[in-house]
Structures are given as structure tokens and as C-alpha cells.
Amino acid sequence: MPTETDTMRDRFLDVTSRLLDEDPRLALVLADISAAGFARAAERHPDRVINVGIREQLLIGATGGLALTGLRPIAHTFASFLVERPFEQVKLDLVHQGVGAVLVSAAGSYDWPAGGRTHMSPGDVALLDTLPDWTVHVPGHPDEAETLLRHAVNDGDRNVYLRLSAHRNALARPVVPGRFLTVREGRRGVVLAVGPMLDGVLQATEGMDVTVLYAAGVRPFDAAGLRAATGAGAAADVVIVEPYLAGTSDREAHEALAEIPHRVLGLGVPRAEHRHYGSIDEHLAAYGLDARSLRERIALFLR
């Protein structure tokens, strides 16, 4: 049962456990992370809840094998262990084999700073961009995470990446997979906030004459939605604020606006490594992604 203290990861544990009861085609592959949370599900479905231990390459290999049998597998662990460490297996055992799975991550860019660099993966979405035909969801609230998880499980045999985070917005939005949501309208530019960055962007742009779009999914990129938000003007200024590597979606925006003069500013986690392990809020401030820094950077770009 959802509560006000519910996290995206809590919701994933609860909903996936129920989906395993409801859908005999669904399977779950773990690499120790969250295994305790799925203990009861594993007792009920020992043939479809598999913990391979701390073997992330095997995690993806087993996921690909299950997909080849006709199952719809979910693979889950921290983002750095789900995308970066077994990337060759993602490329070969899923994409090259022509099968699909749902990869559900946690602890992406700055969720657990005390875990150190091994537990940070700001480059995960950019890395998946090197592969064809991935759907990428980045919810900003547990309710959105549930909506997008249910959609991913039933999204045919597509490869889907669901990026969960401890960083969240206060309110859920009525997200539709593949569509940007207009949260605020203005005339001087468009600011696209991805997932948990929305609250900070709304605070940063308070009083600014800008359109704020919300993306709980970035692949496929809603090119039509971005073009519509820029209006029928002769030029467009767009700022993209993402909770992972800065500039990850810049190319998508440039392609969407290729027929009109435009400028794009990509804000996100910088490439330079931040070696001080504080809180999430302290990391956002260090990256220039807190509301005060965002306001300064956006205002300077649009000046």
C-alpha cells in the first residue's frame, strides 16, 4: 500500500512482487541487491525469481536466456552494476540476440554518495544511447515509477530501462510514456526537466517567462512535443536539465529543432569526478543543479 514515505524502489519491490503473481510470463533476475525484499516472491515462484549473486555479467546473460525462452524478464541492481559493468552482455545477450528485457536500476548518479564512485553511474543513459531502440524511463515520483513499470512489462518485447532514484519530486504528474508534459507556459524559452529535476526547475524558473516541460521518459525523445513547445517563432532557446551526465539529450534536441535556428544548453552531472561524499542535496549544489544555481545558469543563457 503506497504511503507518503514510499520510495521508487519500495514501489518497485511491491508492484513487481504482485505482477509475478499475476503474470506467469514475468521473471525476475537479481544480483543480491534487493534480494531480501523479494524473499517471499522467490518462495512463491522459485522458477521465475533468480538470484545469481554478485555476478552482474551473469545477471544480464541469464536475463537474455530467459527472454529467449519467451519470458518477459526484469533484471535489477544498482545502475553502475546493471548498465556499466555488464555492458558487453547488454549489447550481445539482449540487443544482438534480438530479445527484450526490462532493466530496473537504483542508485544512479548521486543517490548514495557514501558508496563512492563504484556506486555512481551518471553515464548510464548516454551509454545505452550507443545501442539501438531502447526505451528509457526516468520517473520523478513513486506513482510515476509504478505507471512506467507496468507499461514496460507490457511493452511487447522491447528493451526498456527504468531508472529509479531516491531523489524525487513532491508530486506525481500524469505521465504518458513517450510524451512530454507541459507544466508551465512562457515565451522566452523552453526548459525541459527530466524526472526528479522538476521540482528544482520549477523553483528555479519561478517568475521567468519560460515554458517548463516535464519528461518522465527520454527515449524515445518527444521531438514533436519539444517543437510544439517552442512555438512558431523564428528561433528557439532550449535548456535541458537531466539527473545524469550533462548533455545526454542535446543531440536529440538538436535533431528535433534541425529546421529552425536554435540554441541548446544541457545541464546535468558534469564529467569531472566529484570526490566529496555528502548528501544528495550537497551533490546537487556541487554540480550546479540546485534551484539557486539553476536559476543563475538558465537566466544567463536566456539573457
Side-chain angles (χ1 to χ4, degrees):
M1 180 66 66
T3 67
E4 291 185 0
T5 58
D6 198 23
T7 68
M8 296 188 209
R9 193 170 168 197
D10 291 336
R11 190 69 64 86
F12 164 66
L13 296 175
D14 178 60
V15 173
T16 302
S17 294
R18 287 188 275 122
L19 288 173
L20 284 162
D21 293 336
E22 300 165 4
D23 186 353
R25 185 171 176 255
L26 191 65
L28 175 67
V29 189
L30 305 168
D32 267 3
I33 301 300
S34 299
F38 285 110
R40 291 184 179 179
E43 291 176 358
R44 294 194 299 270
H45 309 289
D47 56 333
R48 291 188 288 119
V49 179
I50 302 167
N51 181 10
V52 302
I54 307 175
R55 301 175 180 87
E56 287 82 9
Q57 288 88 351
L58 177 58
L59 169 76
I60 300 301
T63 298
L66 290 169
L68 282 169
T69 71
L71 294 175
R72 181 62 166 162
I74 298 174
H76 167 67
T77 185
F78 292 159
S80 55
F81 307 148
L82 185 64
V83 177
E84 292 183 336
R85 184 171 293 175
F87 181 70
E88 184 177 12
Q89 282 69 40
V90 173
K91 180 178 70 174
L92 297 179
D93 297 351
L94 294 177
V95 178
H96 182 63
Q97 292 279 23
V99 295
V102 182
L103 306 189
V104 181
S105 72
S109 301
Y110 43 72
D111 278 28
W112 189 26
R117 186 64 175 176
T118 56
H119 290 68
M120 298 178 182
S121 182
D124 53 351
V125 177
L127 191 55
L128 286 178
D129 268 349
T130 66
L131 301 175
D133 301 325
W134 276 82
T135 295
V136 178
H137 298 311
V138 190
H141 188 277
D143 289 355
E144 299 168 9
E146 177 172 349
T147 296
L148 296 170
L149 172 62
R150 290 181 178 276
H151 183 271
V153 167
N154 293 293
D155 193 12
D157 291 312
R158 292 187 59 82
N159 279 310
V160 180
Y161 181 47
L162 178 60
R163 192 182 203 267
L164 307 183
S165 179
H167 184 199
R168 56 173 284 183
N169 301 314
L171 300 174
R173 303 283 171 169
V175 298
V176 176
R179 300 283 183 87
F180 297 158
L181 176 69
T182 301
V183 179
R184 184 183 292 162
E185 294 186 335
R187 299 171 295 177
R188 291 193 53 223
V190 175
V191 182
L192 175 62
V194 176
M197 306 310 299
L198 179 61
D199 279 2
V201 165
L202 288 175
Q203 183 180 349
T205 58
E206 184 67 36
M208 289 187 181
D209 186 17
V210 297
T211 291
V212 175
L213 295 181
Y214 178 51
V218 290
R219 303 292 181 275
F221 190 86
D222 185 7
L226 180 61
R227 285 194 296 270
T230 62
D237 288 335
V238 174
V239 181
I240 304 175
V241 186
E242 299 176 286
Y244 35 78
L245 194 64
T248 295
S249 292
D250 285 11
R251 179 179 61 82
E252 301 284 344
H254 285 304
E255 290 182 357
L257 302 174
E259 296 181 0
I260 62 172
H262 64 274
R263 298 187 304 152
V264 174
L265 173 65
L267 302 180
V269 179
R271 284 176 170 78
E273 184 176 338
H274 182 62
R275 295 172 180 264
H276 299 281
Y277 306 134
S279 65
I280 287 177
D281 287 343
E282 287 171 328
H283 271 249
L284 291 173
Y287 300 146
L289 296 176
D290 59 305
R292 179 178 177 180
S293 299
L294 285 173
R295 186 174 185 86
E296 293 175 353
R297 300 170 79 182
I298 293 170
L300 181 63
F301 177 71
L302 296 176
R303 187 173 300 165

